[in-house]
Amino acid sequence: MAALNGAVKVFIVERLACFETPTDVQKAVKQAFNVTVSLPQLAIYNPKSASGARLSKDLKDVFEATRAKFLADTSDIAISHKAYRLRVLDQALVTAAKNGNTAMVMQLLEQAAKEDGGAFTNRQKLEHTGKDGGPIQHKHALRVTDAERASRLAALIHKAKGAASEAPADKP
């Protein structure tokens, strides 16, 4: 088991608090500090595991603070930002267009439109009033005057009477 200094321990605890897998943390420690750490040794630095139950209070506090910040703040995660997602979609669109993949181009355009229009959010835009606080104007509302309505009703009644007089009498 490798002896670890304080900086390596904090590094491990912070990575584990951010839900990184032990294997990924192992690789990151090797790359950042050129120290080889075994997977069982890493488990000691996760207070949520059975082997981490005896972790020092200071490192437990680091773990809890890092976990809370990680769960509360997504600003450091690129994919959580609409601009980043649209840029990635744009790059994929350019590649698909160069390859002549029309179906993929169409899917990416639809995806980008949904992304830009907010289709993937839980927000709904509800309008309770129209322009300047007035009533909502319905573009496709049927506007019929009382005279037109009366005329149409009379035509329907006349048609119904004509159809009734032409109907064959019921046989007993």
Side-chain angles (χ1 to χ4, degrees), residues 38-79:
S38 68
L39 294 177
Q41 186 177 7
L42 282 176
I44 295 169
Y45 295 98
N46 184 354
K48 302 295 182 186
S49 71
S51 1
R54 292 180 286 151
L55 188 63
S56 72
K57 183 181 178 342
D58 291 342
L59 289 177
K60 281 182 183 177
D61 291 344
V62 168
F63 182 94
E64 294 302 330
T66 304
R67 172 74 51 99
K69 182 179 183 288
F70 179 79
L71 292 175
D73 184 15
T74 61
S75 65
D76 293 340
I77 302 170
I79 201 167

Side-chain angles (χ1 to χ4, degrees), residues 82-83 85-86 89 105-123:
K82 182 172 143 180
R85 293 189 301 269
L86 286 170
L89 285 170
V105 167
M106 299 311 291
Q107 288 176 352
L108 290 167
L109 286 172
E110 179 182 4
Q111 179 81 13
K114 287 178 179 177
E115 183 68 49
D116 195 41
F120 299 120
T121 67
N122 288 335
R123 295 183 188 132

